[in-house]
Amino acid sequence: STRRRLHFASKVFLRNDTDGIALVDNIFQYSEKIQRRHKAMFSDNNGSTSVAFFFATNQSDKDVKDILRVLDKNFDIVIGNDNTSLCNSCNIDEKESANVLKNSDDVTASLLIGTFSNKCSLLTFSSKEHGMPPECLQLFSDRLKIDKEHHENSLNMLLFSTPSFDMSTVLGPINGLMPEASKTGSISYNRVFLGSNIYYDGFAGLSIQGNVAMDVVTTQPYENVFQFE
């Protein structure tokens, strides 16, 4: 069988990391560092798709917009949301991998960057309307036949919604059409990010089709953790 190949690098930005330096500058420097260190992974030549998952806290819209513009220029897809607090997570980069997961009031932002091989098909979608608009459903017309026995046909969905949006009106149609797809996500504190845009109403989603497995682990009442294998 084809081996699943996914590459991730993560970084938690603590408040003492950003003292005296704008967070957008810090993230820009880190993005450049990742690309220099992993040129093969982030090269357009190999046909892979790079995704930046960005999670904020109480940054202003202007600061978030500045960060999103930096990420949008450097990576193929940008998606995420804001939260009241974030976890101080493991850093997959080099020697920092010994860090352990723990809650921290000092975390001001978090960035997870991954590359998916050209055998994966990634698609972003969003809407401010309650329910799943027909044009969104049509995007998945070629993804409705999902065969668990063939990994290359698996479908995983990540969904981020604003607090005012009723996600059950979206999950219902998706579950009806694609019951075998893995689905996970979170409700934002206030905002959802997609590309260089900020949304206060609606939801944004990312579907990942291909030889990818997603295990969903939920710890109540606040945290959802998803893990790629």
Side-chain angles (χ1 to χ4, degrees):
S1 60
T2 304
R3 184 179 177 184
R4 298 185 177 97
R5 294 185 181 276
L6 296 173
H7 304 275
F8 285 92
S10 67
K11 172 66 177 176
V12 171
F13 295 89
L14 303 178
R15 298 193 189 284
N16 57 7
D17 291 337
T18 56
D19 285 348
I21 183 172
L23 183 60
V24 62
D25 292 336
N26 202 332
I27 288 180
F28 176 72
Q29 292 170 10
Y30 186 73
S31 298
E32 283 195 326
K33 179 175 130 182
I34 289 177
Q35 291 182 323
R36 286 197 304 268
R37 184 171 295 164
H38 307 290
K39 282 185 179 179
M41 281 188 250
F42 291 97
S43 170
D44 291 333
N45 296 330
N46 62 10
S48 63
T49 301
S50 61
V51 183
F53 301 92
F54 175 66
F55 304 98
T57 49
N58 59 355
Q59 289 84 13
S60 68
D61 281 358
K62 180 185 181 302
D63 288 342
V64 171
K65 274 274 193 183
D66 288 342
I67 292 168
L68 293 178
R69 277 194 286 266
V70 167
L71 296 176
D72 198 40
K73 287 179 180 178
N74 287 276
F75 304 101
D76 298 313
I77 294 173
V78 181
I79 194 168
N81 63 1
D82 67 356
N83 302 267
T84 55
S85 62
L86 296 170
C87 283
N88 186 356
S89 62
C90 298
N91 192 319
I92 307 172
D93 221 1
E94 286 193 346
K95 298 178 182 179
E96 299 177 65
S97 59
N99 293 345
V100 294
L101 275 170
K102 62 182 180 179
N103 290 323
S104 174
D105 293 333
D106 291 331
V107 177
T108 188
S110 183
L111 179 65
L112 173 67
I113 295 172
T115 57
F116 297 79
S117 75
N118 56 11
K119 294 184 178 180
C120 294
S121 174
L122 279 71
L123 180 69
T124 59
F125 51 98
S126 64
S127 177
K128 293 183 179 181
E129 301 175 20
H130 289 282
M132 196 69 168
E135 57 269 23
C136 280
L137 291 177
Q138 290 172 6
L139 295 175
F140 301 106
S141 60
D142 62 337
R143 306 183 180 210
L144 299 183
K145 295 181 180 178
I146 303 167
D147 186 352
K148 277 191 169 180
E149 299 301 320
H150 296 85
H151 298 305
E152 66 273 12
N153 293 330
S154 67
L155 179 62
N156 308 281
M157 308 187 81
L158 307 179
L159 304 163
F160 302 94
S161 75
T162 58
S164 61
F165 191 83
D166 184 1
M167 275 302 296
S168 64
T169 64
V170 172
L171 289 173
I174 289 179
N175 283 328
L177 286 170
M178 295 163 280
E180 302 296 336
S182 300
K183 312 165 193 75
T184 189
S186 67
I187 299 174
S188 309
Y189 174 67
N190 213 5
R191 303 166 289 184
V192 165
F193 315 135
L194 183 61
S196 59
N197 298 312
I198 300 174
Y199 298 98
Y200 279 91
D201 298 296
F203 80 98
L206 172 65
S207 73
I208 306 167
Q209 182 184 28
N211 195 14
V212 178
M214 182 167 71
D215 295 330
V216 181
V217 180
T218 303
T219 56
Q220 298 297 336
Y222 301 116
E223 297 170 359
N224 285 336
V225 179
F226 57 85
Q227 179 180 21
F228 293 96
E229 293 182 337

